[in-house]
Amino acid sequence: MELERAKTYERLEHPPGEAQADFTTIEVCRNHQLISYKLLVLSFPYSNAAFVYPVPAENQECFLEAMKQVFEQMGGVPQRIWFDNLSAAVVHIEKPGERQLTDMFRRFCAHYRFEAVFCNPYSGHEKGHVEAKCGYSKRNWAVPVPVFESHEQLVAHFADQAEQDRRRPHYAKQQTIEELWRGDEKRHLLQLPAEPFEAYRLQAAVVNKYGEIRVDETTIPLVGQVAPGTEVIVQLFWDRLVLLNPRHESLLTVPRPYTGRTA
């Protein structure tokens, strides 16, 4: 009876140039305050290499900016990337194997020419390598809590941690992670496009009677620039809001609240 109940498993094959992506939540310290940050982890099961990029939120703009920056760190683009069904990429799960993707994510995939593959719902084990790497990076690279004054400083900290980690031996193969990465994995990457992708959303807002608009949970004064009742266009980048008048001329640029910047 025990033999009948026994499960059979198959070893997974991980070809070079195939990656898995996921976010993990970390704690960081900025201006003497403990805040939550998101760390995008892109891992390669074949070589066990990982590249990471921190962002202050998990929205679509931050997700695509982090992906773009990780590609720049690697000097190329994975041919195939596994994701879970995160809202920044997937609008709706239609049936097994099919997803309705967000327009910006579809354009991002076309721009960098990689194939996006999605796990089944509630099946994070299907991308178990990056799940494990998220826990590893959280325990080893975010302890003690990183203290930083600028976003660039935090980026440099995690890039350095990931680079140092690639110098250790692979857990099963008789080479370092860096040797496997440079010798076998990196040559399978796609070439970076000539121009990087610019990720932003467009949103309309109407100026109220006080000469203000409210975007991203922030009140932005536009007194003297446009009349009350005027509809303005807002470009939402990952780190800033750009306000445009009806003629698409720039009125004002302000940092997004979660960046901690005031100008």
Side-chain angles (χ1 to χ4, degrees), residues 30 37 56 148 151 238-240 255-262:
R30 181 182 64 201
Y37 236 69
F148 72 105
H151 176 74
W238 79 272
D239 60 342
R240 66 194 185 281
R256 292 189 78 157
Y258 53 56
T259 63
R261 298 171 181 168
T262 56

Side-chain angles (χ1 to χ4, degrees), residues 203-225:
Q203 181 177 318
V206 178
V207 180
N208 63 22
K209 63 182 180 180
Y210 302 105
E212 303 167 336
I213 61 169
R214 186 161 180 80
V215 182
D216 209 21
E217 301 181 0
T218 305
T219 300
I220 304 171
L222 290 171
V223 178
Q225 299 191 61

Side-chain angles (χ1 to χ4, degrees), residues 26-38 54-56 144-158 238 258-261:
I26 57 174
E27 298 295 319
V28 296
C29 182
R30 181 182 64 201
N31 298 330
H32 307 289
Q33 290 186 327
L34 197 64
I35 58 175
S36 291
Y37 236 69
K38 299 293 180 177
V55 283
V145 173
V147 179
F148 72 105
E149 296 178 358
S150 69
H151 176 74
E152 293 74 20
Q153 185 181 0
L154 191 64
V155 169
H157 165 77
F158 281 107
W238 79 272
Y258 53 56
T259 63
R261 298 171 181 168

Side-chain angles (χ1 to χ4, degrees), residues 28-234:
V28 296
C29 182
R30 181 182 64 201
N31 298 330
H32 307 289
Q33 290 186 327
L34 197 64
I35 58 175
S36 291
Y37 236 69
K38 299 293 180 177
L39 188 69
L40 179 79
V41 180
L42 196 73
S43 71
F44 290 82
Y46 176 84
S47 64
N48 200 28
F51 295 82
V52 297
Y53 192 84
V55 283
E58 204 171 327
N59 59 35
Q60 189 177 59
E61 304 85 64
C62 284
F63 166 58
L64 296 183
E65 177 66 21
M67 289 287 292
K68 178 180 76 174
Q69 293 295 338
V70 166
F71 293 163
E72 294 287 342
Q73 288 180 22
M74 297 186 304
V77 180
Q79 298 181 33
R80 203 167 189 235
I81 306 177
W82 285 79
F83 300 91
D84 57 21
N85 297 282
L86 69 172
S87 59
V90 177
V91 176
H92 180 66
I93 302 174
E94 297 180 338
K95 59 182 180 180
E98 293 188 14
R99 304 289 188 275
Q100 181 185 347
L101 304 181
T102 64
D103 179 63
M104 196 188 305
F105 184 69
R106 282 193 298 103
R107 290 191 288 110
F108 184 84
C109 294
H111 188 86
Y112 287 101
R113 310 183 318 284
F114 68 87
E115 178 189 359
V117 186
F118 294 91
C119 299
N120 290 310
Y122 313 110
S123 302
H125 62 276
E126 294 180 354
K127 55 176 182 57
H129 188 268
V130 75
E131 296 278 347
K133 191 65 77 173
C134 281
Y136 178 88
S137 60
K138 196 170 183 175
R139 293 188 303 271
N140 291 274
W141 307 342
V143 177
V145 173
V147 179
F148 72 105
E149 296 178 358
S150 69
H151 176 74
E152 293 74 20
Q153 185 181 0
L154 191 64
V155 169
H157 165 77
F158 281 107
D160 181 62
Q161 292 293 313
E163 182 181 356
Q164 289 186 41
D165 188 71
R166 293 193 294 273
R167 298 173 188 168
R168 66 186 172 95
H170 188 276
Y171 60 87
K173 301 172 182 177
Q174 304 301 312
Q175 291 178 274
T176 65
I177 295 172
E178 183 70 15
E179 288 170 339
L180 290 166
W181 163 252
R182 294 195 176 276
D184 298 330
E185 195 103 67
K186 191 172 182 179
R187 61 189 179 89
H188 286 85
L189 299 182
L190 301 172
Q191 188 175 358
L192 285 168
E195 295 293 332
F197 187 84
E198 190 174 41
Y200 64 85
R201 285 185 296 120
L202 290 176
Q203 181 177 318
V206 178
V207 180
N208 63 22
K209 63 182 180 180
Y210 302 105
E212 303 167 336
I213 61 169
R214 186 161 180 80
V215 182
D216 209 21
E217 301 181 0
T218 305
T219 300
I220 304 171
L222 290 171
V223 178
Q225 299 191 61
V226 287
T230 303
E231 184 179 83
V232 297
I233 300 168
V234 185

